[in-house]
Structures are given as C-alpha cells and as structure tokens.
Amino acid sequence: MQHWNIRVLGKVQGVYYRQSTLKVASDLGLRGYTMNEPDGSVTIECEGPEEALDALVTWCRSGPPGARVDKVIANAGPIVGFSGFRIRR
C-alpha cells in the first residue's frame, strides 16, 4: 500500500474532472479524495496498490472529455488510512 499526492494542472475544473476521478479511483479500489484548488488545479490524495495508483496517474494525464491536462505531478506521502474515496468541497 502506498499514498500518493497528485496535482493536475490545466483546464480541469468545470469539466467533471473530480466526478470522473471518483469513478476511476473507486473502480481501481483506491481510497482518498479529490478536490478543486483556488488556482484552478485539482488535488488528489489516494492510497492503494502501486499498480492501481499508476493506472490512476495514467488516466489523470488525459482525464474526462472536455479536460485539457497540462501537467500531472505525483509524489509519495505518508499513509493516512482513508476509508473510501470521496469528493471534498
């Protein structure tokens, strides 16, 4: 189990990025959250197996239809012990 902090930059707000991330992360069995940032980016903090985290980062590079992803930054972090995956407001 690993914990990753992911930041997605580009046109990623107002295009159902968080809702799509919720679906993808849940389908991959990941736990954590996603939220919009004031600067227009999206933050994702998630935990799970490395293969599932890799798959999420790969998806993040394109995101849902309508998104334009300029950059994805992923860094390891300490395990938090999230239960489920949710959208934070």
Side-chain angles (χ1 to χ4, degrees):
M1 165 108 66
Q2 295 184 2
H3 177 110
W4 285 6
N5 303 307
I6 304 167
R7 189 80 175 259
V8 186
L9 297 95
K11 183 179 183 287
V12 293
Q13 290 188 14
V15 294
Y16 297 99
Y17 202 99
R18 291 176 305 154
Q19 189 64 38
S20 299
T21 300
L22 173 66
K23 167 100 172 77
V24 171
S26 296
D27 289 350
L28 290 168
L30 296 171
R31 297 183 306 268
Y33 69 88
T34 182
M35 64 185 246
N36 285 340
E37 295 291 348
D39 67 359
S41 66
V42 169
T43 291
I44 304 162
E45 285 211 35
C46 54
E47 297 176 344
E50 184 175 3
E51 304 80 35
L53 292 166
D54 284 340
L56 179 64
V57 169
T58 297
W59 176 85
C60 285
R61 290 189 180 112
S62 56
R68 186 199 75 241
V69 177
D70 295 333
K71 189 173 190 178
V72 176
I73 303 163
N75 296 300
I79 299 292
V80 174
F82 295 114
S83 60
F85 196 93
R86 65 188 186 99
I87 295 172
R88 284 191 181 171
R89 308 252 178 236

